[in-house]
């Protein structure tokens, strides 16, 4: 409906120009059509008069009067226009138009709420990307759900979406995993081969100590060629490090990370290996590109802030390859290649984003942990150095989760082995509960996850309440079938039967859903969908309870009113289902009897 109002005023401006009431310079001006916070100010507030004032050379209120007097509304969509404040045009829409527009819900079905704002442009959403060194903890799970919901929103908004997991299978953390697995594999082998002569070894401070490492070691031994297993455990470690790293990472992906994501209903179009950047020369290619653009130089970087350079150190005065990120607003330039010839972690990140752009994506969305916030400026600088605008990269930061059980926080730490896995949480409360809890706050806000509340079958449980609206609609429609009523269909005379103010409000909420989806997709904020469901469920329940108190039940002796209300509820049910689908949450037809409260 908002776009319909916009089109009316665009046509009106055009007529005013044609009639000489406004100069041609005003045509094509962009103005807003917003929903007023105070319903008494109408359905929409249009600021066109204030936007046109400068080009027209007239006071805003004078222009507002011209637009009001010359309003082009041949279909009678608007029931009233008032001039307010400095020149706002407060608009009221004929209620019958809202009810007539409900037909769109029936026509579009599961696609109601979708739009083409993205115009099929290609967007890469990279999320989770947890180090493949063990099971995912609940913090990773929040990033996974957030990224998945963002991808769903962008797809609904008309973007061509690719979902990618960046596998950090190069670097010190993978070496530490391989060493940990090797030590555990030696222990397993020694237990079954006492004559092997393997000396006990202790895990180092940076090694992984969780019990899961034993499971990984056992799986690695099972996958290792039988004839070579003894050579594997005998070592030395450096001799078998590279193949062991690859095998250990693959075991973690196959037996821990991928199954947990599958339990969430989260899938990826591509799993991108960091190791391939090194092996395929992608880092060199990316740096050659940036060097050709004048953004890579060899220089001596100052020491980090607060640290004085040791004048006797061997590295004093040794140049490094540096990316000139300060040219794009970063607070300092960044080392790309160390004095010893090895690449920094940042070099791989630069190459990865260069590779994304080489694959032809128009927009990049990264979902990162909040601890990576300081990393954003340098990566965005790299994107700009590659010839793309800063806006080509969006980074959504996701805060950690405070997991509560029996009122006590549970600490997490993968290296020590003391952490709560996302699999444990899924088994405790289910995928729907985990998704809703993770999405009911902005991603950059800290989140307390109360396990006991997530399992409660009551309206105090936000998960239960988010699904309640759909189940409640389903219960009423099921009762109508039991009463022998036909399936509700569109009636052009809906406004004659739907006379309660709450019914008009529900119709407006339903029709606002596509705009909500477009806005949530643009802002990369899936929590807006949760809020919409909660607020709409509350409005629906208030309407239903008021109807019961006032003798205005949905199913009554008045056949016309009954069928009109059932149609409204069928539209509500479809919107609830579509909203839940954007969250990756199921839409139950039935819930606990005490919550369902079927129509009687």
């Amino acid at each position: 409906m908002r776009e319909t109002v916009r089109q009316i005023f665009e046509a009106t401006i055009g007529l005013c120009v044609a009639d000489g009431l406004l100069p041609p310079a005003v045509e094509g001006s962009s103005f807003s059509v917003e929903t007023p916070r105070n319903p008494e100010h109408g359905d929409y507030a249009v600021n066109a008069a204030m936007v046109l004032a400068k080009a027209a050379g007239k006071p805003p209120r004078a222009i507002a009067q011209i637009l009001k007097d010359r309003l082009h509304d041949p279909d009678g969509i608007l029931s009233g226009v008032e001039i307010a404040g400095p020149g706002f045009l407060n608009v009221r829409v004929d209620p019958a138009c809202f009810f007539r527009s409900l037909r769109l819900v029936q026509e579009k079905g599961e696609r109601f709420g979708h739009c083409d704002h993205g115009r099929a442009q290609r967007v890469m959403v990279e999320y989770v990307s947890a180090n493949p060194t063990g099971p995912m903890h609940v913090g990773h799970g929040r990033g996974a759900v957030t990224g998945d919901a963002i991808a769903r929103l962008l797809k609904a908004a008309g973007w061509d979406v690719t979902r990618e997991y960046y596998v950090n299978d190069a670097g010190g953390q993978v070496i530490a995993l391989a060493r940990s697995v090797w030590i555990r594999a030696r222990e397993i082998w020694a237990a079954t081969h006492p004559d092997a002569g393997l000396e006990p070894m202790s895990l180092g401070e940076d090694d992984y100590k969780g019990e899961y490492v034993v499971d990984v070691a056992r799986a690695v031994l099972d996958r290792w060629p039988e004839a070579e297993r003894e050579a594997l455990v005998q070592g030395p470690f450096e001799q078998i490090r590279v193949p062991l790293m690859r095998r250990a990472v693959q075991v973690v992906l196959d037996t821990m990370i991928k199954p947990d994501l599958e339990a969430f209903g989260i899938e990826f179009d591509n799993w991108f290996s960091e190791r391939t950047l090194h092996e395929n020369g992608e880092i060199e290619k990316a740096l050659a590109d940036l060097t050709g653009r004048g953004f890579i130089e060899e220089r001596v970087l100052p020491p980090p802030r607060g640290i004085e350079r040791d004048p006797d150190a061997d590295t004093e005065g040794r140049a490094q390859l540096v990316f000139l990120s300060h040219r794009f607003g970063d607070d300092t330039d960044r080392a790309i290649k160390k004095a010893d010839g090895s690449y920094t972690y940042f070099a791989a990140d630069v190459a990865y984003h260069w590779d994304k752009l080489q694959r032809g994506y128009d927009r990049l969305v990264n979902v990162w942990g909040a601890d990576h916030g300081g990393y954003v400026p340098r990566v965005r600088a790299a994107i700009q150095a590659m010839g793309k605008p800063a806006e080509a990269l969006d980074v959504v930061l996701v805060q950690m989760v405070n997991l509560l059980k029996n009122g006590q926080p549970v600490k997490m730490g993968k290296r020590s082995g003391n952490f709560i896995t996302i699999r444990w949480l899924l088994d405790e409360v289910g995928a729907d509960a985990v998704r809703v809890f993770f999405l009911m706050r902005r991603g950059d806000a800290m989140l307390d996850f109360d396990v006991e509340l997530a399992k409660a079958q009551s309206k105090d449980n936000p998960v239960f309440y988010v699904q309640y609206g759909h189940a409640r609609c389903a219960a009423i429609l099921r009762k109508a079938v039991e009463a022998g009523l036909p399936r509700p269909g569109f009636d052009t005379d809906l406004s004659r039967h739907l006379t309660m103010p709450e019914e008009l409000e529900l119709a407006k909420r339903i029709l606002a859903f596509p705009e909500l989806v477009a806005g949530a997709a643009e802002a990369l904020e899936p929590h807006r969908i949760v809020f919409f469901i909660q607020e709409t469920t509350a409005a629906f329940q208030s309407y239903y309870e008021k109807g019961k108190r006032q003798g205005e039940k949905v199913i009554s002796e008045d056949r016309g009113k009954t069928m009109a209300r059932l149609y409204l509820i069928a539209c509500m049910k479809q919107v609830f289902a579509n909203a839940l689908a954007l969250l990756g949450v199921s839409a139950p037809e039935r819930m606990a009897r005490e919550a369902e409260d079927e129509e009687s």
Side-chain angles (χ1 to χ4, degrees):
M1 191 61 68
R2 186 191 306 269
E3 283 307 305
T4 300
V5 172
R6 182 186 304 280
Q7 291 166 10
I8 289 172
F9 278 91
E10 286 174 348
T12 299
I13 292 169
L15 286 176
C16 290
V17 171
D19 292 345
L21 299 173
L22 293 174
V26 304
E27 287 195 289
S29 298
S30 178
F31 57 89
S32 66
V33 180
E34 304 293 340
T35 302
R37 293 187 177 184
N38 186 348
E40 294 182 0
H41 295 163
D43 296 311
Y44 299 102
V46 181
N47 72 344
M50 290 179 286
V51 170
L52 304 182
K54 184 175 181 180
K58 297 177 182 292
R61 287 187 64 91
I63 296 174
Q65 190 65 53
I66 292 171
L67 296 177
K68 179 182 178 181
D69 293 342
R70 193 65 181 85
L71 190 67
H72 183 68
D73 181 22
D75 298 323
I77 302 295
L78 307 183
S79 62
V81 177
E82 297 177 356
I83 301 173
F88 283 105
L89 288 154
N90 289 343
V91 174
R92 297 186 186 278
V93 177
D94 186 343
C97 293
F98 284 110
F99 291 121
R100 284 199 301 269
S101 296
L102 290 177
R103 187 168 193 165
L104 293 171
V105 183
Q106 184 183 53
E107 292 174 350
K108 295 188 176 182
E110 294 179 355
R111 291 192 57 79
F112 180 74
H114 292 214
C115 65
D116 63 353
H117 284 204
R119 300 184 301 280
Q121 295 179 88
R122 300 183 67 205
V123 58
M124 156 80 74
V125 184
E126 180 232 319
Y127 55 108
V128 188
S129 300
N131 288 338
T133 53
M136 294 193 304
H137 59 58
V138 294
H140 296 140
R142 190 181 188 191
V145 170
T146 301
D148 181 68
I150 286 173
R152 290 169 184 261
L153 279 170
L154 289 170
K155 185 175 181 181
W159 290 82
D160 180 3
V161 179
T162 298
R163 306 161 184 241
E164 187 158 285
Y165 189 116
Y166 181 58
V167 182
N168 300 104
D169 54 356
Q173 77 280 358
V174 181
I175 295 175
L177 172 68
R179 185 172 54 246
S180 306
V181 168
W182 183 62
I183 292 172
R184 294 307 189 196
R186 285 169 57 89
E187 294 172 356
I188 295 169
W189 188 265
T192 55
H193 299 77
D195 298 331
L198 294 175
E199 294 293 330
M201 299 183 67
S202 299
L203 292 169
E205 182 180 352
D206 292 331
D207 290 337
Y208 293 94
K209 303 175 179 66
E211 286 298 315
Y212 70 87
V213 178
V214 178
D215 298 330
V216 176
R218 189 171 288 111
V220 166
L221 281 171
D222 289 343
R223 296 184 183 194
W224 208 270
E226 186 173 357
E228 301 175 15
R229 289 174 187 170
E230 185 168 1
L232 165 67
V233 297
Q234 291 288 355
F237 174 68
E238 284 303 318
Q239 185 173 315
I240 48 84
R241 176 172 64 86
V242 173
L244 182 55
M245 286 167 55
R246 296 184 183 182
R247 197 67 58 90
V249 165
Q250 198 58 52
V251 166
V252 171
L253 289 173
D254 291 345
T255 66
M256 298 177 183
I257 292 177
K258 289 184 178 181
D260 288 353
L261 291 171
E262 184 178 348
F264 256 138
I266 295 175
E267 298 178 351
F268 289 90
D269 300 302
N270 193 36
W271 294 73
F272 190 98
S273 165
E274 178 188 355
R275 174 170 50 83
T276 62
L277 295 172
H278 297 267
E279 295 178 348
N280 299 339
E282 294 299 299
I283 294 179
E284 289 78 6
K285 293 175 186 176
L287 298 189
D289 185 358
L290 292 181
T291 300
R293 296 171 184 267
F295 299 117
I296 299 285
E297 289 184 0
E298 195 171 47
R299 61 167 58 177
V300 178
L301 284 177
R305 292 178 182 175
I307 298 177
E308 293 185 7
R309 192 184 295 280
D310 182 358
D312 299 322
D314 292 339
T315 57
E316 175 67 14
R318 293 171 63 184
Q320 305 178 70
L321 213 57
V322 173
F323 169 54
L324 306 180
S325 55
H326 78 278
R327 295 188 184 179
F328 302 97
D330 195 8
D331 55 6
T332 186
D333 294 328
R334 304 293 174 177
I336 288 287
K337 196 173 186 178
K338 303 175 188 176
D340 63 6
S342 63
Y343 289 114
T344 63
Y345 285 115
F346 181 53
D349 287 326
V350 169
Y352 178 44
H353 287 82
W354 180 84
D355 182 87
K356 288 182 182 181
L357 296 176
Q358 292 299 305
R359 284 183 271 164
Y361 289 99
D362 303 295
R363 183 181 183 188
L364 307 178
V365 178
N366 295 349
V367 181
W368 289 350
D371 56 335
H372 287 72
Y375 216 68
V376 176
R378 71 189 71 174
V379 176
R380 184 163 282 135
I383 293 293
Q384 292 174 271
M386 294 169 194
K388 298 292 183 179
E391 297 75 27
L393 172 67
D394 288 295
V395 178
V396 177
L397 298 177
V398 178
Q399 283 284 358
M400 291 293 290
V401 178
N402 297 319
L403 191 65
L404 305 176
K405 186 171 174 60
N406 298 322
Q408 297 298 318
V410 181
K411 295 182 180 180
M412 296 171 288
K414 182 177 289 187
R415 287 184 182 269
S416 67
N418 176 28
F419 62 95
I420 299 298
T421 66
I422 194 62
R423 169 62 70 172
W424 177 86
L425 191 58
L426 285 168
D427 291 343
E428 279 287 304
V429 304
D432 284 343
V434 174
R435 278 182 174 268
V436 172
F437 261 87
F438 283 165
L439 294 173
M440 68 183 186
R441 298 284 184 273
R442 284 177 55 99
D444 58 1
M446 292 296 293
L447 177 68
D448 289 337
F449 193 119
D450 189 322
V451 175
E452 299 307 318
L453 178 60
K455 293 192 286 188
Q457 293 293 303
S458 73
K459 294 176 186 176
D460 293 332
N461 178 357
V463 185
F464 193 84
Y465 196 66
V466 161
Q467 294 176 312
Y468 170 78
H470 183 272
R472 189 71 199 87
C473 291
I476 296 172
L477 294 172
R478 197 163 48 246
K479 193 70 175 179
V481 172
E482 293 170 0
L485 293 170
R487 180 179 178 179
F490 178 74
D491 182 349
T492 56
D493 210 15
L494 284 172
S495 59
R496 185 168 67 88
H497 300 296
L498 301 178
T499 56
M500 293 178 65
E502 292 79 5
E503 290 165 338
L504 177 59
E505 177 60 29
L506 288 176
K508 290 179 181 180
R509 282 187 169 274
I510 290 170
L511 296 172
F513 181 62
E515 296 170 7
L516 174 84
V517 173
E522 181 64 26
L524 306 177
E525 293 183 345
H527 69 275
R528 295 189 188 186
I529 305 298
V530 179
F531 290 0
F532 169 82
I533 296 174
Q534 292 173 327
E535 293 166 0
T536 304
T537 297
F540 175 58
Q541 185 65 10
S542 176
Y543 156 68
Y544 177 73
E545 294 297 336
K546 179 180 177 180
K548 285 192 356 181
R549 291 195 305 270
Q550 296 184 353
E552 292 280 356
K553 285 187 173 183
V554 173
I555 300 174
S556 68
E557 297 300 320
D558 187 327
R559 180 64 172 261
K561 184 166 289 191
T562 294
M563 295 310 298
R565 287 176 172 165
L566 288 174
Y567 184 79
L568 177 64
I569 289 171
C571 291
M572 289 289 305
K573 180 174 180 285
Q574 184 68 68
V575 168
F576 280 132
N578 294 1
L580 290 167
L582 291 173
L583 304 177
V585 175
S586 66
E589 293 288 320
R590 296 177 182 272
M591 296 181 76
R593 173 71 64 168
E594 62 268 24
E596 194 171 330
D597 185 27
E598 293 204 16
E599 179 86 10
S600 58

